[in-house]
Amino acid sequence: MSRRYLLSAAVLAFTAHVQAAAPTVDPSFGWRRLFETGGGSQSEIAVAHARTADGGYVVALEVPGGGAAGGTGMRIGLFRHDADGNPVSSGFGVGGQVIKDAWLTSVTGMAIDSQGRIVVIGATPGQGGRSDFGVVRFNPDGSDDTSFAGDGGTAVGFDHPGLNTDDNPTSVLIDAADKIVVAGDWHATGTEAQFCALRLNVDGSIDNTWGSISDGAGGKRGTCDGFAAGKDAHARRILRIDRGYYVVAGTSSFSSTDTDFAARILTPSGSQWAGYVGSRTFPIDMPAADDSLFDTLTDAVLVDSTTILLVGTSSDRLAATRIKAGTENNSSQYSTLQTDPSFIGGGPASFSHTFVDATPSAMAGSAAIAPNGQMMLVGSTTHMPIGLSTDAHEPQGSAPPMHGLLVQLNANGTIDGGFGDGGNATIDVPSGNSSAYYTWISQVSFAGSRPVLLGTSSFSIVPVTDLDGILTRLRSDLIFADGFQVQY
């Protein structure tokens, strides 16, 4: 199959009344399609991107072909690009990419430390046929960092004697001392799922001063708990807030047909307050056709040192709310989580301090905060946008294609009606003379005022058989306050 970078700035055509505010790709960046050179028609899935010290990017992909799990494991794909999206062809792996089999069954997160070292997490086979946290570190040039755990990678499980657990990491952050904090999920047959987290020293050993679980030798080996007593908990993001405290954000069950956004504070030493102090659920409960009230958190983003934007899906709609960590009784310790009253929100129904987008059949990805305080939420939708109901590339009778979904909010959480079609827009990756059948935007960041989008897209215009990572940057004139004319 012929491969090439797609530099076209084409986007979906909207009707005339919204054309001026439709998202446009920055022509100096274009679309960057990321895949393993020589990998054929396999699917490479975008996982994360992070900025480098020189303003460029490292992108992590999940690449099939790993040796774990009988050859069904996933390899790590790292791709280095400069500030304008151009591949860094020398000084990083081979032609700007590194493909590494680190014996993982998934690749789920990536971060860069103060030395430029790249930390990647994913699940790895553990005891009793279950899974453990896998953590791998690379040097800034993409080579294995053998100073980390002896060979560049380590596996850590939360198994208890006689109890093997599935431990699946979902989030990684690097603290001020370059220690690595990893959070994820813990589950054993017959028990409720819990979130769990641990901290590794710079050399890859477990930091036995952090957490609440005894290591049996007078130290600690992380922490595991839930958001509410007796309820399944699933971690999605761990964030470091003011004064070294942490917040784990994720999804908590309420019933078999009702899940909620949730968050819990951890102390600087990694322990949790007793009795679920500092833990709260944040139900949205957008009614659905099947009466299920599923609120699934997909990301959490720091707005400032104590304020967090929670973003996810509520009954197949993009949703967001903002929360604040606080103290009480004149204490200097963070032990409360409350809804941010300055976040007005809005959407197709009335929700207090919550935003719910109008676009149906949507899945949330992530969010980012612009320098002016506006917020961009990203994800995907199978809803056919204006102007595409008769698009020739959709085979008759097939499942509908998937489009990248962008939603822009003002700083107070109200929708920015001047963006796209009343605050939201769809975007597809160009493919030949048409557009890709499948586009999903999973992560967004800001380079100044310009949104940078990471996602996954099908290579061709036919139903999905070959997925690649995609990276692009939008024009900065997308970001504007209500009342100002958009530039185009």
Side-chain angles (χ1 to χ4, degrees), residues 6-287:
L6 301 177
L7 303 179
S8 170
V11 295
L12 294 178
F14 290 85
T15 56
H17 76 284
V18 297
Q19 182 69 41
T24 53
V25 170
D26 183 344
S28 67
F29 198 103
W31 289 100
R32 303 293 176 174
R33 192 174 278 277
L34 314 176
F35 53 88
E36 180 188 6
T37 302
S41 60
Q42 67 186 11
S43 291
E44 296 98 342
I45 308 299
V47 174
H49 73 291
R51 299 299 297 272
T52 55
D54 61 1
Y57 302 89
V58 172
V59 178
L61 303 184
E62 182 181 72
V63 179
T72 63
M74 295 294 172
R75 294 174 293 162
I76 300 167
L78 298 177
F79 296 77
R80 181 79 163 83
H81 290 254
D82 67 18
D84 283 323
N86 302 301
V88 176
S89 59
S90 63
F92 189 88
V94 178
Q97 66 176 262
V98 171
I99 308 296
K100 170 72 174 181
D101 188 357
W103 210 251
L104 301 177
T105 55
S106 65
V107 180
T108 56
M110 184 264 291
I112 297 178
D113 71 11
S114 68
Q115 304 302 309
R117 296 172 296 201
I118 304 160
V119 178
V120 179
I121 60 169
T124 189
Q127 298 183 26
R130 310 305 283 265
S131 60
D132 291 338
F133 283 14
V135 185
V136 184
R137 194 169 71 192
F138 299 84
N139 291 311
D141 64 0
S143 61
D144 295 345
D145 182 359
T146 56
S147 70
F148 183 78
D151 62 358
T154 187
V156 182
F158 289 85
D159 304 295
H160 302 288
L163 180 65
N164 295 322
T165 61
D166 274 319
D167 308 318
N168 294 292
T170 57
S171 178
V172 58
L173 66 82
I174 313 296
D175 74 9
D178 277 342
K179 293 186 177 183
I180 301 167
V181 182
V182 185
D185 294 335
W186 176 100
H187 186 254
T189 303
T191 66
E192 70 268 9
Q194 298 183 340
F195 70 76
C196 49
L198 58 84
R199 188 165 73 184
L200 300 179
N201 295 311
V202 176
D203 65 1
S205 61
I206 295 177
D207 183 349
N208 63 9
T209 69
W210 198 90
S212 57
I213 302 172
S214 172
D215 66 0
K220 307 295 182 184
R221 59 182 184 94
T223 190
C224 290
D225 213 324
F227 299 114
K231 304 295 185 181
D232 284 343
H234 299 279
R236 184 60 184 175
R237 185 68 60 197
I238 187 165
L239 300 168
R240 193 167 187 263
I241 63 170
D242 189 42
R243 286 178 278 176
Y245 283 77
Y246 298 87
V247 170
V248 177
T251 303
S252 179
S253 66
F254 182 78
S255 71
S256 61
T257 59
D258 187 358
T259 59
D260 301 323
F261 292 2
R264 187 164 188 176
I265 296 173
L266 301 182
T267 69
S269 63
S271 62
Q272 65 273 44
W273 302 110
Y276 296 93
V277 171
S279 185
R280 274 197 63 181
T281 59
F282 300 90
I284 297 172
D285 292 345
M286 174 75 183

Side-chain angles (χ1 to χ4, degrees), residues 319-363:
T321 190
R322 202 161 61 198
I323 65 174
K324 294 185 73 70
T327 63
E328 58 183 359
N329 300 325
N330 297 317
S331 171
S332 62
Q333 298 178 317
Y334 288 106
S335 59
T336 67
L337 288 170
Q338 304 291 337
T339 300
D340 181 358
S342 68
F343 188 88
I344 297 173
S350 177
F351 296 94
S352 178
H353 305 302
T354 301
F355 168 78
V356 179
D357 184 45
T359 308
S361 304
M363 294 188 297

